[in-house]
Each structure stands twice: as structure tokens, then as C-alpha cells.
Amino acid sequence: MISKYFKKVPVQTIMGHRLPEPRPTLMAVLWVMVYLGLPVFALGVLLDIAIQAITGKCTGFWCWFF
């Protein structure tokens, strides 16, 4: 089951020229960070604020510095 995800894709050629394999670009990495990283970060901040409001203890990362 998992082995199908790790199979080597055969080299594609057009008229004898080898096509470059697709690879993640810098822009793709940035969009992943925006769409996945930013919401997770925002949810963590909201959770930290809620815990601090309820318990009075700061549990966020920034509490180590202030």
C-alpha cells in the first residue's frame, strides 16, 4: 500500500529530450506556510489567550521572555 507512493516515476521524454522532474518551488513552500502554518499559529495564539484569561497563567511562547 505505502510502496505505491514511493515508486520511481519513469523518465518522460518528448522527441528525445528528457523532461525535468517536478519539484516543489519556493513559492509552493510559501503558500503551504500561508495556508497551513498561519492558521495553526493563529489557533495556538487564541488558545494561549483563552487559557491565560481563564487561569491567569501565561502559557504562550512569549511568556518565557517577559
Side-chain angles (χ1 to χ4, degrees):
M1 173 75 177
I2 294 177
S3 62
K4 72 178 182 179
Y5 294 110
F6 295 110
K7 276 195 241 179
K8 186 76 172 159
V9 179
V11 176
Q12 295 180 344
T13 59
I14 294 181
M15 296 176 61
H17 294 280
R18 182 175 175 263
L19 297 176
E21 296 182 12
R23 64 189 197 291
T25 61
L26 179 61
M27 203 60 187
V29 171
L30 290 175
W31 279 114
V32 166
M33 293 294 286
V34 166
Y35 280 108
L36 296 177
L38 197 58
V40 169
F41 176 73
L43 185 64
V45 167
L46 290 175
L47 256 161
D48 288 338
I49 290 171
I51 290 172
Q52 185 175 359
I54 293 170
T55 65
K57 289 178 138 182
C58 186
T59 59
F61 177 72
W62 51 85
C63 297
W64 292 348
F65 303 106
F66 298 110

